[in-house]
Amino acid sequence: MRARDDMTFPIAEYERRLGELRTRMEKRGLDAVVITDPENLMYLTDYQTTGYSFFQALVVPLDDEPVMITRAMEESNVIARTWVERTRPYPDTGDAIQELVLTLNQSGLGTKRVGYERNSYFFPAYQQDRVHTSFQHGVLMDCFGIVEAGRARKSDVEIEVMRKAAAATQAGMAAGLAAAVPGNTENEVAAEISAAMFRAGGEFPAVMPYVASGPRSMIGHATWEGRTIEPGEHVFLEVGGCYRRYHTAMMRTAVNGELSDSMWQAQERMKLALAELKSVMRPGLTVSDADSIVRRVISDNNVQARLVTRSGYSIGIAFPPSWDEGYILSLNPGDFNALEPGMTFHVIPWMWGVDGDKTVGISDTIRVTEDGCESFFTLEEDFTVHESGAVLTPVTSTLTDADTEEAL
């Protein structure tokens, strides 16, 4: 392991992560693991690239130095970003899977028990089949989740990085709410969100902002399509800010014109769900109980709305196509895992179908502390209500270098 002081975290953080991974490997009787998930590679080594659609893997032996297998072009990211000393680059005309099998054999692992991430998005079945065919004398075992077991709880230094992501999230959301007025297009709202996030120190997020106005808010995961916001319409926004691949996210809603009674009721239901959950969210509370609190409050409404999804999910390191760590842990009924300090969740008590034709949201990114929980944000939860005639005040004219420094 190369000692260096220019990575996202101190070298001791990566030593801890690698050591804990090896402890889990030993408990599962594994001599090595092949890690291919981009988020897990980032977590273990600080390696990142946008070229993760090409095969890449970190081979971690139980008692030897890890080795990274990458496309030759991406080897520069190993050298420039990580502590990894051993690399096995392959050319664009080369065979990545044969390079992996050759690496295992030459590392003395050809007859050993080797774990691999069977559920990794970027290790498709046809490549896994080739490994099984070529790795003839060893034993391949599915070890999906072996790295995620460490990612579920964020360390203090991870929380500090997530605070920087939160500064970008909040700056973007504030800009989007200000821009969500009649006459502006959804594209213009998205542009204001993105510009504000990036000026506040944010980096490219795993998902760009969701911007859906009026009837388009009823389309799941809809984002901007050039539609012009009309007087009297609401705008649903969901923004995920990113810093060093760590994310936080929030939903908010803008209303143009008078706040109707049903929209006010929806607002208060969502605020109540968050308040009730945060009043009891602490280590020991089960995932199922956390979900039940949110689901009960949202379901008890008189405005025809419902919660159509889980009520939250783990959030942290992410690459496109999703900022979601829900495959690690989601707030769903029937999951009796207990919350632990350092877990971080995007809690989403949103309401689908207010008055039958509106989706609205208020959400929060929350971390579990030793004796409770806390939000990453300070932005007002109430709907942003624009009176008739409200116009866009460009965020770009009000942000200063001092604002950016303060956000970071």
Side-chain angles (χ1 to χ4, degrees):
M1 179 178 285
R2 289 186 295 157
R4 53 191 301 175
D5 59 5
D6 58 347
M7 294 189 294
T8 303
F9 302 111
I11 192 68
E13 176 77 359
Y14 298 101
E15 290 173 339
R16 177 188 65 80
R17 295 174 182 184
L18 188 62
E20 290 178 356
L21 170 63
R22 282 175 164 154
T23 297
R24 292 190 292 272
M25 290 166 55
E26 192 167 20
K27 287 181 178 179
R28 295 176 62 169
L30 295 171
D31 298 297
V33 291
V34 177
I35 304 302
T36 54
D37 185 87
E39 288 84 0
N40 290 342
L41 293 174
M42 175 80 181
Y43 176 77
L44 292 172
T45 71
D46 214 24
Y47 174 85
Q48 64 163 298
T49 174
T50 60
Y52 51 86
S53 57
F54 290 87
F55 181 82
Q56 54 189 21
L58 180 72
V59 178
V60 182
L62 194 59
D63 54 7
D64 197 3
E65 276 294 307
V67 56
M68 184 80 85
I69 298 164
T70 65
R71 181 187 182 205
M73 178 182 174
E74 310 302 340
E75 186 188 24
S76 58
N77 287 288
V78 182
I79 297 167
R81 298 179 184 272
T82 82
W83 52 258
V84 177
E85 298 183 65
R86 299 168 59 196
T87 62
R88 296 285 294 257
Y90 62 87
D92 283 7
T93 55
D95 188 324
I97 300 305
Q98 286 305 310
E99 190 66 43
L100 169 63
V101 174
L102 184 63
T103 298
L104 292 172
N105 289 332
Q106 292 179 347
S107 300
L109 298 168
T111 60
K112 303 295 185 178
R113 292 162 59 90
V114 177
Y116 71 103
E117 297 176 305
R118 189 166 182 261
N119 202 35
S120 173
Y121 282 172
F122 299 99
F123 192 16
Y126 78 91
Q127 290 181 336
Q128 294 183 26
D129 288 346
R130 292 194 58 219
V131 176
H132 279 279
T133 299
S134 302
F135 191 71
Q136 297 179 346
H137 303 293
V139 178
L140 291 172
M141 302 179 65
D142 180 11
C143 71
F144 178 75
I146 199 167
V147 178
E148 287 85 348
R151 287 173 50 198
R153 292 180 57 168
K154 277 63 175 180
S155 65
D156 289 344
V157 289
E158 288 179 285
I159 294 298
E160 289 308 307
V161 167
M162 290 183 70
R163 292 192 198 284
K164 294 181 179 181
T169 305
Q170 188 156 298
M173 182 60 81
L177 290 169
V181 297
N184 283 335
T185 66
E186 293 174 344
N187 289 49
E188 289 168 324
V189 176
E192 293 294 337
I193 293 171
S194 302
M197 282 199 301
F198 300 156
R199 288 194 177 93
E203 299 161 9
F204 78 94
V207 183
M208 290 299 285
Y210 291 107
V211 180
S213 61
R216 291 191 66 252
S217 69
M218 290 294 292
I219 305 172
H221 281 148
T223 193
W224 70 89
E225 288 187 359
R227 184 179 184 276
T228 299
I229 302 166
E230 299 294 336
E233 289 185 337
H234 76 293
V235 183
F236 170 83
L237 302 175
E238 186 175 11
V239 175
C242 174
Y243 183 79
R244 298 297 185 268
R245 304 315 319 148
Y246 282 79
H247 291 68
T248 62
M250 69 160 72
M251 296 175 179
R252 290 293 187 271
T253 304
V255 174
N256 291 293
E258 183 178 354
L259 185 65
S260 68
D261 181 64
S262 59
M263 290 289 271
W264 180 85
Q265 288 187 49
Q267 170 190 276
E268 296 305 303
R269 283 283 102 188
M270 291 184 288
K271 288 168 54 183
L272 179 62
L274 286 173
E276 289 205 3
L277 177 60
K278 286 189 276 190
S279 71
V280 299
M281 195 172 191
R282 57 179 47 85
L285 183 73
T286 69
V287 169
S288 183
D289 284 344
D291 173 81
S292 294
I293 291 166
V294 174
R295 198 169 298 280
R296 171 181 52 79
V297 174
I298 296 301
S299 298
D300 184 18
N301 74 79
N302 298 312
V303 295
Q304 306 177 51
R306 58 196 176 103
L307 179 60
V308 297
T309 62
R310 59 198 167 166
S311 59
Y313 48 81
S314 177
I315 191 169
I317 303 176
F319 287 81
S322 177
W323 65 51
D324 178 353
E325 285 185 343
Y327 57 94
I328 298 178
L329 203 59
S330 283
L331 302 186
N332 266 324
D335 187 335
F336 299 106
N337 283 301
L339 302 185
E340 299 178 28
M343 288 182 172
T344 52
F345 294 93
H346 183 205
V347 180
I348 51 172
W350 62 321
M351 298 182 73
W352 182 286
V354 175
D355 295 333
D357 62 357
K358 303 177 188 70
T359 294
V360 296
I362 301 171
S363 73
D364 199 355
T365 298
I366 300 170
R367 80 175 181 108
V368 181
T369 63
E370 293 292 337
D371 57 2
C373 67
E374 68 175 18
S375 172
F376 281 91
F377 305 124
T378 59
L379 190 67
E380 177 67 42
E381 291 179 348
D382 283 350
F383 291 176
T384 296
V385 180
H386 297 295
E387 297 179 358
S388 299
V391 295
L392 168 65
T393 300
V395 174
T396 53
S397 67
T398 59
L399 274 175
T400 66
D401 291 340
D403 294 326
T404 301
E405 291 175 7
E406 182 179 354
L408 294 175

